[in-house]
Amino acid sequence: MFYSWKLCSCKKEGSGIELTKRGKGSKVMVVADAHGLPLALCAQSAQPAEVKLVKETLKCCPRGMKPKWLIGDKAYDSDPFDIKLKIKKMKMIAPHKSNRKKAATQDVRELRRYKRKWKVEPFNAWLRNFRRIVVRWDFYQENDTAFLYLAAFLILWKYL
């Protein structure tokens, strides 16, 4: 009855995939320049918050290409994260959360730069054209990251 079936008793997940509220998954973090071209790409587990994943993504940036400003959504509104970035001479531009208890740290002039967030969104949309990136088939995170870099290269080659 089980002729030519491969039965194994290992768990069906890979490295870099952990449980989340909606199942299992991984996140793709992108740091882009002012023109929307990617400086750093990083695929990591989806369980930790995005603020904790930024440190690993910034390590992937080339040496002289570290951005002065990071633009993110409300998930990046964190005072300890702002202090860590201030040490690295970077500034986080993110709107404040609605449940923030401390005083606002950004004025309206800084939040005007938040409208430039759309520059990285086309690149994220182009990445979704690659089925292998949308649905992770690879067991090893290194293979998934390699295909992420390959997709980024193909996007840059096609649109530049």
Side-chain angles (χ1 to χ4, degrees):
M1 179 172 188
F2 295 111
Y3 178 72
S4 78
W5 281 21
K6 293 183 180 178
L7 301 174
C8 52
S9 62
C10 62
K11 57 183 186 175
K12 295 184 177 181
E13 59 183 54
S15 59
I17 297 178
E18 295 179 15
L19 288 174
T20 60
K21 282 196 261 184
R22 297 183 182 198
K24 299 175 187 166
S26 59
K27 288 182 185 176
V28 175
M29 303 285 287
V30 179
V31 175
D33 66 354
H35 303 290
L37 302 176
L39 296 176
L41 296 167
C42 197
Q44 298 168 352
S45 171
Q47 189 175 19
E50 292 177 2
V51 174
K52 295 178 182 176
L53 300 177
V54 171
K55 181 180 176 184
E56 294 295 322
T57 308
L58 288 175
K59 283 182 184 177
C60 298
C61 276
R63 224 175 191 174
M65 305 284 266
K66 298 262 183 185
K68 283 199 263 183
W69 298 297
L70 291 174
I71 300 174
D73 54 3
K74 290 183 181 184
Y76 295 96
D77 181 32
S78 169
D79 290 333
F81 181 61
D82 288 341
I83 292 169
K84 289 177 185 176
L85 285 179
K86 192 178 281 188
I87 293 169
K88 295 180 180 182
K89 297 179 181 168
M90 291 185 207
K91 181 78 174 165
M92 184 69 208
I93 298 171
H96 294 300
K97 294 180 183 175
S98 60
N99 61 352
R100 185 177 176 88
K101 294 184 177 156
K102 294 184 179 179
T105 59
Q106 297 178 4
D107 59 351
V108 178
R109 291 177 297 168
E110 290 178 348
L111 287 176
R112 282 189 213 148
R113 291 190 179 105
Y114 182 71
K115 66 183 176 184
R116 295 184 189 146
K117 182 184 163 205
W118 67 270
K119 292 190 177 186
V120 75
E121 298 301 331
F123 181 76
N124 288 334
W126 291 332
L127 274 180
R128 300 296 167 219
N129 289 333
F130 296 93
R131 185 174 178 201
R132 190 159 191 157
I133 303 295
V134 175
V135 179
R136 182 176 162 175
W137 301 100
D138 299 313
F139 184 82
Y140 296 107
Q141 185 173 1
E142 294 82 16
N143 295 345
D144 187 46
T145 306
F147 278 105
L148 179 67
Y149 284 130
L150 181 62
F153 173 73
L154 290 174
I155 289 169
L156 290 175
W157 190 24
K158 183 177 181 180
Y159 292 104
L160 288 181

